[in-house]
Amino acid sequence: MDTLNIIYLVTSLLIFVSIMTSTLSARLGVPLLLFFLGVGMLAGEEGVIGIRFEEYSMANFIGQAALACILLDGGLRTSFKSFRVGLKPAIALATWGVLATVVALGVFVTWLLGVDWRLGLLMAAIVGSTDAAAVFSLLRHGGVKLNDRVQATLELESGANDPMAILLVTVMIAMNIDPASQTIWGILLMLLQQIGIGLLLGALAGWLLSQLLPKIHLAEGMYAILIMSAGMAVFGATNLFGGSGFLAVYLAGIAIGNTKVRATEHVLRVMDSFAWLSQAVLFVVLGLLVSPSRMLEEWPYALMIFLFLLFIARPLAVSTSLLPFGFRPKEIGFISWVGLRGAVPITLALIPVMSGVEGADLAFNIVFGVVILSLLAQGATIPFMSRAFNVWVPTDTEPKAEHEIWVGDQANITLYEFEVKPGAFAIGRHPQSISTKVNRKDIAVFAVVRDGYLVSVNEDTALKVGDIVWYALSGDWAASIAKVFNNSATQYQKTSEFYGDWLLSPHVRIVDLPFYNLATRSQNQNRFSKTIAPVTSALDSIFTPLLGSSELTGIDDELVQTLREASHQTVEEFMLAHFKAEPVKGDAVRLNDSWSLIVRDVDEHGRLHGIGLKNLKNG
């Protein structure tokens, strides 16, 4: 009995300590998942507590169950909107991208370690796919907003590339143990079986559950348990039928998450806790397995393999996968950098150990080192690299939080939370009259919180820094109100520097823009003039500040010719003609060295809703 209580105590303390490190993780900029691993290693055989844990089968069981839970939660939070920009490139990365990575890395590992090519390819296959737990965690909680194309591609890739990775690991284990048992046709059949059955059962189960949820009424906490049990059932059943359980549970989650009913709101809140618990348990258990002394012996090899993966194998695979889809070089560079490795490679590395593959212990220690380096070098640098590769977008148009209140089986009210930031335009304003652009009939103040206490709203109420305001909105005003609360003078300047100071309608024709009139007129008057001639029309007088008060900035033959050739088009038609990929916020079309058109907003159908005009010399 004492032994059982000790297990309860130690297990709970390990998870407790792991989660408490989240505040330290945020301060140091180190991924929280790495702290989970560190807690496990410190508690392990060579750590402070000295727990001897070599139960690879149990670790594999925990790992697969935790990954299924994480993928289910990731699917619940994946909108169908992301398919528009991310599905096709993600499929390419999840298939050809994984294969290309494994082949390139396998050749390098075989040469570096001087091992048999089968073992080299097996080690490459283990680290060949990105990790859903790491990607979902670090991208969604990394403190930076990526453009939708990059975010969707990375998340969909991590959720869909497990079948190829598992197939390659399975094949290479068989090649190491019994090479004669593997044929090309057998491998292809296994791949089709994994993907086909996974797609079929995942989509079918997701559809059935999405139809079931609106018809049942349970206690709030029961919905998440229902979805969790159903997801694990889909995972197990798909594996039994020879399909990819990971792919199936991810697809089931997507189908459920995109069904807006009373149950899904409760599920999302509770599933977030389940996913974090799964990550904590998974990484702590994996940390218990490793022996730091043995891992340090293989550290130089892990470092060299990681560097080859980061700078050669992954970029090669990503570039060949994404170039056909019109991705910009900087987007390809960032996606190559954020090929995060985490729990999946370590979990896959357990299978050769349990199968008795010669050299499996070497592979496990090296893979563990690669994962630690990936979380450190890639995970911790996501905010910096997103700006270096220019794939981030401003977040001033987003509320602090959203909360749905369901008043019927098919009827809900969405509450939006906003916080008054220092220097924001909301300071001193009445919460009901927050903006002249917002119709007062479409906005209702639900609550105002100051210093943790509710504030009674009367005619004299004026907002202060730090106030929290909850609104119930009947129109699409969330983005407009967020700007008032988030946009201090500094934030406004940053947003303007990104999108430009001037907002254009996508439906205006190029020929009707004052910029067009002023540019062509300036060329006709004096192409080399350094001062702007007096303008007489009202439109020109409004638009003149765009070019500077006295300098004729950036108007040259190249710009004039570009505008004249597109004079019959709308701004939206002009920009879409220059895009090779589906448009997202932040996409730009350069008019010349001085001026650029930048997408400010896009709807779910790919239509542009706002366009910024940016002076590149001023920004």
Side-chain angles (χ1 to χ4, degrees):
M1 191 68 178
D2 288 342
T3 302
L4 188 61
N5 288 325
I6 290 173
I7 293 174
Y8 291 153
L9 176 63
V10 172
T11 303
S12 300
L13 284 176
L14 288 176
I15 297 173
F16 179 83
V17 171
S18 300
I19 294 175
M20 287 300 294
T21 57
S22 61
T23 56
L24 184 61
S25 169
R27 291 179 183 176
L28 298 179
V30 177
L32 180 57
L33 303 181
L34 198 58
F35 279 89
F36 292 164
L37 279 176
V39 169
M41 293 170 67
L42 287 173
E45 182 179 357
E46 298 179 2
V48 177
I49 301 179
I51 299 175
R52 184 179 180 85
F53 183 76
E54 295 181 348
E55 298 294 331
Y56 289 95
S57 297
M58 181 183 295
N60 182 57
F61 169 77
I62 294 173
Q64 299 229 14
L67 287 171
C69 175
I70 293 166
L71 281 166
L72 177 61
D73 179 66
L76 289 170
R77 299 173 193 280
T78 300
S79 170
F80 281 140
K81 295 178 182 178
S82 63
F83 283 23
R84 179 181 66 85
V85 295
L87 182 59
K88 292 179 180 179
I91 291 174
L93 286 171
T95 51
W96 164 252
V98 173
L99 181 61
T101 301
V102 170
V103 172
L105 186 60
V107 173
F108 177 75
V109 170
T110 301
W111 169 81
L112 177 67
L113 301 179
V115 297
D116 185 83
W117 65 269
R118 300 177 191 77
L119 181 60
L121 283 176
L122 173 60
M123 294 175 64
I126 291 172
V127 296
S129 66
T130 58
D131 178 61
V135 169
F136 290 146
S137 174
L138 294 175
L139 291 190
R140 295 179 180 180
H141 306 283
V144 65
K145 171 67 175 175
L146 304 176
N147 80 47
D148 291 340
R149 183 187 302 112
V150 171
Q151 180 101 9
T153 299
L154 284 168
E155 290 187 355
L156 291 174
E157 175 203 9
S158 68
N161 63 10
D162 291 319
M164 177 63 79
I166 293 172
L167 169 72
L168 293 175
V169 170
T170 303
V171 169
M172 293 316 303
I173 289 175
M175 290 291 290
N176 278 269
I177 297 175
D178 184 16
S181 66
Q182 299 300 305
T183 63
I184 295 296
W185 291 112
I187 294 172
L188 291 176
L189 180 61
M190 187 186 303
L191 176 62
L192 292 175
Q193 179 178 309
Q194 284 268 312
I195 296 177
I197 296 177
L199 285 172
L200 177 63
L201 294 186
L204 179 61
W207 181 81
L208 290 174
L209 288 168
S210 66
Q211 298 301 305
L212 174 66
L213 285 175
K215 296 179 173 61
I216 59 175
H217 297 276
L218 302 171
E220 289 188 7
M222 300 295 289
Y223 287 108
I225 299 175
L226 175 71
I227 297 303
M228 173 65 78
S229 60
M232 296 306 296
V234 171
F235 175 72
T238 306
N239 286 333
L240 285 175
F241 281 105
S244 170
F246 292 124
L247 179 60
V249 76
Y250 182 59
L251 289 175
I254 292 175
I256 297 168
N258 283 273
T259 303
K260 300 296 291 182
V261 294
R262 177 193 294 268
T264 54
E265 174 64 17
H266 306 315
V267 169
L268 287 175
R269 291 202 299 268
V270 181
M271 278 298 301
D272 191 46
S273 298
F274 282 163
W276 275 111
L277 177 62
S278 297
Q279 292 183 72
V281 172
L282 173 57
F283 279 86
V284 169
V285 169
L286 294 177
L288 287 171
L289 279 176
V290 71
S291 298
S293 60
R294 277 179 278 174
M295 188 180 67
L296 287 174
E297 292 176 1
E298 314 300 341
W299 189 256
Y301 295 119
L303 176 61
M304 295 182 70
I305 290 172
F306 169 71
L307 291 175
F308 184 89
L309 176 64
L310 179 62
F311 292 110
I312 298 179
R314 171 76 176 173
L316 175 65
V318 171
S319 59
T320 54
S321 299
L322 298 185
L323 280 175
F325 298 101
F327 277 63
R328 293 184 288 112
K330 288 188 176 181
E331 291 174 334
I332 292 175
F334 181 79
I335 292 173
S336 298
W337 182 266
V338 190
L340 293 163
R341 268 63 188 175
V344 169
I346 301 176
T347 305
L348 292 178
L350 298 174
I351 301 175
V353 176
M354 294 186 297
S355 302
V357 175
E358 186 178 352
D361 290 334
L362 171 67
F364 181 82
N365 289 319
I366 289 179
V367 167
F368 210 103
V370 169
V371 168
I372 291 176
L373 288 168
S374 177
L375 291 175
L376 271 174
Q378 297 169 280
T381 58
I382 287 177
F384 172 78
M385 298 304 290
S386 68
R387 285 168 171 77
F389 284 103
N390 196 29
V391 296
W392 68 283
V393 291
T395 58
D396 65 310
T397 59
E398 296 182 357
K400 184 178 180 180
E402 298 179 25
H403 183 74
E404 290 181 339
I405 298 178
W406 287 83
V407 294
D409 291 339
Q410 301 294 329
N412 69 298
I413 298 172
T414 302
L415 298 180
Y416 297 88
E417 179 186 6
F418 303 91
E419 179 180 357
V420 181
K421 300 294 180 63
F425 302 132
I427 297 173
R429 294 173 181 263
H430 191 281
Q432 186 67 46
S433 305
I434 199 66
S435 173
T436 56
K437 297 180 180 180
V438 179
N439 192 331
R440 291 174 61 94
K441 296 180 180 179
D442 292 338
I443 180 173
V445 179
F446 182 77
V448 176
V449 181
R450 180 174 296 164
D451 299 325
Y453 296 94
L454 281 174
V455 175
S456 297
V457 179
N458 53 48
E459 294 181 357
D460 299 326
T461 300
L463 294 176
K464 299 180 180 180
V465 175
D467 285 355
I468 302 293
V469 185
W470 285 88
Y471 289 109
L473 306 177
S474 58
D476 189 16
W477 300 111
S480 299
I481 295 175
K483 291 180 180 179
V484 179
F485 279 85
N486 298 338
N487 257 336
S488 63
T490 303
Q491 179 64 40
Y492 180 81
Q493 182 180 0
K494 291 180 179 178
T495 304
S496 297
E497 288 175 356
F498 186 89
Y499 290 117
D501 287 322
W502 301 275
L503 178 63
L504 305 179
S505 168
H507 307 301
V508 173
R509 292 191 306 159
I510 297 291
V511 71
D512 293 329
L513 288 175
F515 185 51
Y516 175 87
N517 296 331
L518 189 56
T520 53
R521 183 183 307 158
S522 297
Q523 185 195 44
N524 292 335
Q525 290 177 350
N526 187 346
R527 183 177 302 165
F528 302 101
S529 173
K530 292 185 177 181
T531 58
I532 298 178
V535 290
T536 56
S537 73
L539 286 176
D540 284 358
S541 66
I542 294 173
F543 217 77
T544 297
L546 182 152
L547 299 175
S549 59
S550 60
E551 281 195 38
L552 189 61
T553 307
I555 295 184
D556 53 23
D557 289 342
E558 177 189 3
L559 177 55
V560 172
Q561 184 62 28
T562 300
L563 294 174
R564 280 180 169 167
E565 290 176 355
S567 60
H568 64 286
Q569 295 179 312
T570 65
V571 177
E572 180 178 32
E573 291 170 343
F574 174 74
M575 295 188 73
L576 291 178
H578 286 77
F579 292 148
K580 297 180 180 179
E582 291 288 334
V584 296
K585 289 175 64 174
D587 280 348
V589 175
R590 291 184 69 130
L591 298 174
N592 67 346
D593 291 336
S594 301
W595 296 99
S596 182
L597 295 168
I598 302 177
V599 177
R600 294 186 68 118
D601 196 16
V602 183
D603 68 11
E604 60 184 7
H605 302 294
R607 294 188 293 261
L608 309 187
H609 275 195
I611 296 167
L613 181 60
K614 180 178 180 180
N615 188 330
L616 299 175
K617 292 187 176 180
N618 292 341

